[in-house]
C-alpha cells in the first residue's frame, strides 16, 4: 500500500503534479469573518482521499486578508503557520502585522486550518472538552520522571490511540503532508492563481518542500522559514523501525540546549534590571539554572514540576520578545519559591471560531502518520538518557515529545518520501535562524542543499522563525523576493532588529502549534 501510493505521488510529480482531472475546483464564497472584520472567511470542500475523488469529502476553514493597495496587487500569498497542528485561521490574523508591509500591500494573504486541524474537518478523539482535559490531567506535564510516571505516560497515549481509532479511523489515514499539499494546490486553483506564492514556517517548510516536489512547475515563489530536514522527517525514506525519534533525528534536542545556553549566557551578562534571573555572570547564571532544576525535581513549586518547567522553558525560547524576559521572571519567581504565572495567550482574532479545539491528537495524527518513530514505548527512556547526556534537560523534553507515535494506530495512506530535488519553475528561498530551540540551523542548510534550486538566507539570531522574531533585513529580502523574484546574494546574513533582554514593542500574537506532543514544533 505505502509503496504504491508513494509511486503514485512520484508519477504525479513527474507529469507536473496536476491532480486527477475529476477533482472539482473548490468554490470559495468569501464573506467577512465577523461583522466589521478586515478578514474574510470561506469554506473549501476537498476529497478525503485524492485517489478516490468521488468518495467522502471534508471541509477546510479558510481565511483571507485582501491586499491593502489593491491597485498594485500582484496575487495571493498562501501561509502555513506550522505545527503540525497550527490553525491558520487563528494564527495568520494574529500575526498578520509580522508580514513585510510591501507584501501586505501587494498580496492577498490566505491561510487555512489544514485537514484534521481546528475548524476544518478535525481529528477529535474525545466526546467533550472535559473528557479531553481529564485525559490530559492523567499524565505528567512536559515529560515523565521516574518509572511510575513513565508507565502512566505510555498508558495515556495507548489510551489516546484507542480512542482515536474508534472515532474516525479513515480520517487518521488521510491527514498527511501530501494530502495537505494537494489541498493547497486546490486552494491555489480556487483563487485563480496559475502558480503558487507561499510562505511556510516550521512544519510549514516540510509542507512547502512536499508541494515543490509534487507540483514543481507550479512554484512562483516560496519562503521556507525554520526548516525541517526532509531526510530526517522521512527517516531517509525508510519505513524500517527507526533508531531515533523525528526530533532527535532533526537535532531539536541539541539546538534547544544551545539556545538555552545563549539565554542563560546573555541573561548572566546583564543586571537583574534587564534579566530577572541573572546571577551576575554567565557561568553563575547557568549554575543557578541547574540548581533550580535540581530543586524542582525534589520540591515542585505549586503546579510547577521539574518536567513542566523544562517544557515551559523550551517553548518560551520560541519568541524572544517578550518571551525571554517573561521566562526570566518566571524562573526567578520559582527560584524564590513562588509559583509563576504562565505567559498570557495572545488575544483571539475576529474570526467565527477564535478558540477551536486543538487537542494533541490533531498534530499527532499528522506527525505520527507521516514520520516514522520507534514503535516500542520501552525504548524511550533509554533514548531520553542518551539525549540528556548530549543536550541536558532539553533532551528529555524532545525525546518524549513524540512517544505517542509509538502506539499510534494509523500510517498515512499517501506519503511523499522523495526525491526532494525536482527542478521547480522558480527558485525557493530558505531562511534559517542560528539559535532556534526547535528546528536547527543545520536543517535549513540541509533543506537548501536537498531542494533542486534554493538559496539560504541566514538569520544570525534567536528564537523559532524569523517571521515571529522580526528582522528588517530578513523582511527586506523576503519582500523583494515575493514581489519580483530577486534572491539575496549567496551567503547573506541578517541580524534581529532587537537583541534579547532589551526594550521592544512586540507585535501580533504567538504561534504555539497544536498541542504538547506534535504541536511543539510549530
Amino acid at each position: 500500500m505505502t509503496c504504491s501510493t508513494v509511486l503514485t505521488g512520484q508519477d504525479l510529480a513527474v507529469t507536473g503534479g496536476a491532480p486527477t482531472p475529476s477533482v472539482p475546483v473548490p468554490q470559495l464564497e468569501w464573506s467577512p469573518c465577523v461583522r466589521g472584520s478586515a478578514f474574510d472567511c470561506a469554506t473549501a470542500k476537498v476529497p478525503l482521499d485524492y485517489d478516490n475523488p468521488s468518495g467522502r469529502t471534508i471541509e477546510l476553514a479558510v481565511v483571507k486578508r485582501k491586499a491593502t493597495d489593491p491597485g498594485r496587487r500582484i496575487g495571493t500569498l498562501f501561509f502555513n503557520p506550522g505545527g503540525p497542528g497550527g490553525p491558520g485561521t487563528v494564527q495568520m490574523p494574529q500575526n498578520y502585522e509580522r508580514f513585510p508591509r510591501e507584501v501586505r500591500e501587494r498580496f492577498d494573504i490566505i491561510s487555512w486550518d489544514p485537514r484534521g486541524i481546528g475548524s476544518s474537518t478535525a481529528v477529535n478523539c474525545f466526546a467533550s472538552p472535559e473528557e479531553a482535559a481529564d485525559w490530559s490531567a492523567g499524565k505528567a506535564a512536559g515529560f515523565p520522571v521516574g518509572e511510575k510516571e513513565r508507565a502512566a505516560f505510555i498508558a495515556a497515549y495507548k489510551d489516546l490511540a484507542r480512542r482515536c481509532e474508534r472515532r474516525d479511523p479513515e480520517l487518521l489515514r488521510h491527514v498527511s503532508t501530501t494530502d495537505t499539499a494537494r489541498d493547497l494546490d486546490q486552494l491555489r486553483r480556487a483563487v485563480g492563481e496559475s502558480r503558487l506564492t507561499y510562505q511556510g514556517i516550521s512544519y510549514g517548510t516540510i509542507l512547502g518542500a512536499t508541494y515543490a516536489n509534487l507540483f514543481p512547475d507550479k512554484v512562483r515563489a516560496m519562503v521556507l522559514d525554520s526548516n525541517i530536514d526532509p531526510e530526517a522527517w522521512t527517516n531517509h525514506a525508510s519505513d524500517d523501525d527507526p533508531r531515533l525519534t523525528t526530533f532527535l533525528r532533526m537535532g531539536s534536542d541539541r539546538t534547544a540546549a544551545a539556545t538555552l545556553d545563549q539565554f542563560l549566557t546573555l541573561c548572566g551578562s546583564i543586571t537583574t534590571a534587564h534579566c530577572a534571573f541573572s546571577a551576575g555572570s554567565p557561568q553563575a547564571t547557568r549554575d543557578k539554572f541547574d540548581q533550580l532544576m535540581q530543586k524542582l525535581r525534589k520540591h515542585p513549586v505549586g503546579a510547577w514540576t521539574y518536567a513542566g518547567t523544562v517544557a515551559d522553558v523550551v517553548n518560551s525560547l520560541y519568541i524572544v520578545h517578550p518571551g525571554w524576559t517573561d521566562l526570566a521572571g518566571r524562573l526567578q519567581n520559582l527560584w524564590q519559591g513562588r509559583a509563576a504565572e504562565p505567559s498570557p495567550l495572545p488575544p483571539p482574532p475576529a474570526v467565527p471560531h477564535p478558540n477551536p479545539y486543538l487537542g494533541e491528537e490533531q498534530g499527532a495524527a499528522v506527525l505520527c502518520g507521516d514520520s516514522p518513530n520507534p514503535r516500542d514505548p520501552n525504548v524511550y527512556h533509554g533514548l531520553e538518557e542518551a539525549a540528556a547526556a548530549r543536550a541536558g534537560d532539553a533532551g528529555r523534553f524532545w525525546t518524549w515529545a513524540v512517544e505517542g507515535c509509538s502506539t499510534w494506530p494509523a500510517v498515512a495512506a499517501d506519503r511523499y518520501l522523495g526525491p526532494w530535488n525536482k527542478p521547480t519553475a522558480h527558485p525557493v528561498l530558505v531562511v534559517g535562524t542560528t539559535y532556534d530551540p526547535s528546528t536547527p540551523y543545520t536543517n535549513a542548510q540541509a533543506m537548501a542543499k536537498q531542494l533542486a534550486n534554493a538559496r539560504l538566507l541566514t538569520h544570525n539570531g534567536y528564537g523559532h522563525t524569523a517571521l515571529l522574531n522580526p528582522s528588517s533585513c530578513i523582511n527586506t529580502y523576503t519582500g523583494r523576493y515575493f514581489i519580483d523574484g530577486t534572491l539575496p546574494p549567496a551567503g547573506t546574513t541578517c541580524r534581529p532588529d532587537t537583541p534579547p533582554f532589551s526594550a521592544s514593542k512586540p507585535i501580533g500574537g504567538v504561534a504555539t502549534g497544536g498541542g504538547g506532543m506534535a504541536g511543539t514544533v510549530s
Side-chain angles (χ1 to χ4, degrees), residues 222-376:
M222 180 175 283
V223 169
L224 306 181
D225 175 5
S226 286
N227 288 256
I228 293 172
D229 175 354
E231 295 288 359
W233 179 261
T234 60
N235 190 37
H236 299 275
S238 169
D239 278 335
D240 293 343
D241 198 22
R243 196 173 53 82
L244 296 174
T245 70
T246 302
F247 296 132
L248 297 182
R249 290 195 299 271
M250 286 167 55
S252 298
D253 57 331
R254 284 190 171 105
T255 195
T259 307
L260 173 58
D261 188 67
Q262 284 291 301
F263 167 86
L264 296 169
T265 298
L266 294 171
C267 178
S269 302
I270 53 177
T271 65
T272 53
H274 292 283
C275 180
F277 193 66
S278 176
S281 74
Q283 188 57 52
T285 306
R286 287 193 287 268
D287 291 344
K288 180 179 176 181
F289 180 82
D290 291 340
Q291 289 165 29
L292 174 59
M293 294 303 108
Q294 288 162 17
K295 278 165 65 174
L296 288 172
R297 273 177 175 264
K298 294 172 187 162
H299 305 291
V301 178
W304 289 83
T305 61
Y306 156 68
T309 303
V310 170
D312 179 69
V313 167
V314 174
N315 287 313
S316 298
L317 294 172
Y318 279 38
I319 310 292
V320 175
H321 300 291
W324 284 29
T325 300
D326 291 351
L327 172 60
R330 283 198 298 283
L331 291 174
Q332 184 61 18
N333 277 334
L334 292 171
W335 178 257
Q336 294 171 337
R338 293 195 304 268
E341 286 295 316
S343 283
L345 293 171
V351 295
H353 305 290
N355 293 296
Y357 175 72
L358 296 171
E360 283 188 40
E361 66 268 34
Q362 294 184 1
V366 181
L367 176 61
C368 300
D370 227 39
S371 181
N373 280 277
R375 299 293 294 177
D376 178 0

Side-chain angles (χ1 to χ4, degrees), residues 60-141:
L60 304 177
V62 190
V63 66
K64 173 173 74 173
R65 177 72 182 262
K66 289 177 186 166
T68 59
D69 187 353
R72 296 169 67 234
R73 178 183 176 276
I74 293 170
T76 301
L77 168 66
F78 287 90
F79 172 66
N80 178 275
T89 62
V90 176
Q91 291 179 353
M92 188 275 275
Q94 281 176 334
N95 293 296
Y96 172 76
E97 298 294 334
R98 302 277 197 185
F99 292 94
R101 179 181 50 79
E102 61 272 23
V103 171
R104 287 180 273 130
E105 287 173 349
R106 306 194 65 182
F107 289 89
D108 297 345
I109 300 180
I110 288 182
S111 193
W112 76 107
D113 293 1
R115 52 172 62 212
I117 310 302
S119 296
S120 294
T121 299
V123 174
N124 183 346
C125 305
F126 298 97
S128 67
E130 294 75 25
E131 198 176 279
D134 286 347
W135 173 83
S136 191
K139 62 180 180 58

